[in-house]
Amino acid sequence: GMFDNARNEAELAGVLAHEVAHVVKKHHLGALQKSMGNSALGDVSGYYVGRAAGGGIAGQIAEKLLASGRELFARGLDKGDEYEADQMGVVIAARSGYSPYGLAGVLQTLAAEPVEGRYGMMSRTHPLASERVTRLDAAMGTKLDGLAGLVDDLPSFDRLRNPVAAPVEAPKARSRRRGG
């Protein structure tokens, strides 16, 4: 939904840069490790019980990993991870040649939406967009105002969003040859 609702390429770049920041900082990996580590004692005792009953550790680890992934999907990352990805995402977008205000624009759009609107799932897994805008504004201030040559949109993005329909040609009749 973010692609369809991005007003310009800088907004899309800001969102993608935010996600890249999560990868670079290994936020999801850390959250999975934390989730799995919190129940490590239970896993060890479960292993011995399962082993006595004929089960295996590989199945238990796989089940624990899946359960942790489901929990992370439903709960989301820590607020601190989201704020860090916002700040780093702005820098990544700017270093890539896009306006650093793209992500802030997306967050402002999200803040104006009803909590259970189009982005209801996001409101359950992320801090409030209005709080993210406030924190991002406090962190950025005017530090990035003087950057030159950054773009909001490129013609290629406009063509991607609004492709010109190619003329439809009538299907050509196929000739049939009869063998003799």
Side-chain angles (χ1 to χ4, degrees):
M2 286 294 180
F3 176 77
D4 291 334
N5 293 303
R7 291 176 293 209
N8 57 50
E9 194 169 1
E11 288 190 352
L12 179 61
V15 170
L16 293 175
H18 168 94
E19 298 305 328
V20 167
H22 280 311
V23 173
V24 169
K25 290 300 206 171
K26 300 180 181 177
H27 289 154
H28 292 89
L29 179 61
L32 282 172
Q33 288 172 332
K34 182 179 176 183
S35 175
M36 291 181 73
N38 287 342
S39 61
L41 187 58
D43 289 347
V44 170
S45 63
Y47 165 69
Y48 287 109
V49 170
R51 190 169 185 194
I57 193 168
Q60 290 178 8
I61 291 172
E63 179 54 39
K64 183 61 184 168
L65 186 58
L66 287 172
S68 294
R70 285 190 295 268
E71 177 189 337
L72 179 59
F73 180 75
R75 177 181 44 84
L77 295 169
D78 294 333
K79 286 183 178 185
D81 290 346
E82 292 297 341
Y83 298 138
E84 182 178 39
D86 287 344
Q87 290 178 26
M88 190 173 177
V90 166
V91 173
I92 291 170
R95 286 183 177 177
S96 300
Y98 293 99
S99 168
Y101 299 101
L103 181 59
V106 170
L107 293 174
Q108 289 169 342
T109 299
L110 291 174
E113 287 283 322
V115 174
E116 291 301 321
R118 292 182 285 183
Y119 306 106
M121 177 66 172
M122 182 177 288
S123 67
R124 289 188 294 276
T125 60
H126 288 71
L128 291 175
S130 57
E131 178 64 22
R132 292 170 69 188
V133 169
T134 300
R135 286 178 172 256
L136 195 54
D137 183 49
M140 285 175 52
T142 59
K143 295 174 189 168
L144 303 175
D145 287 353
L147 296 177
L150 302 179
V151 298
D152 285 322
D153 249 335
L154 293 173
S156 57
F157 184 72
D158 187 47
R159 284 192 304 273
L160 181 65
R161 293 285 303 266
N162 304 302
V164 177
V168 178
E169 294 182 25
K172 296 181 181 178
R174 295 172 64 174
S175 61
R176 292 185 171 212
R177 296 176 72 169
R178 293 191 171 194

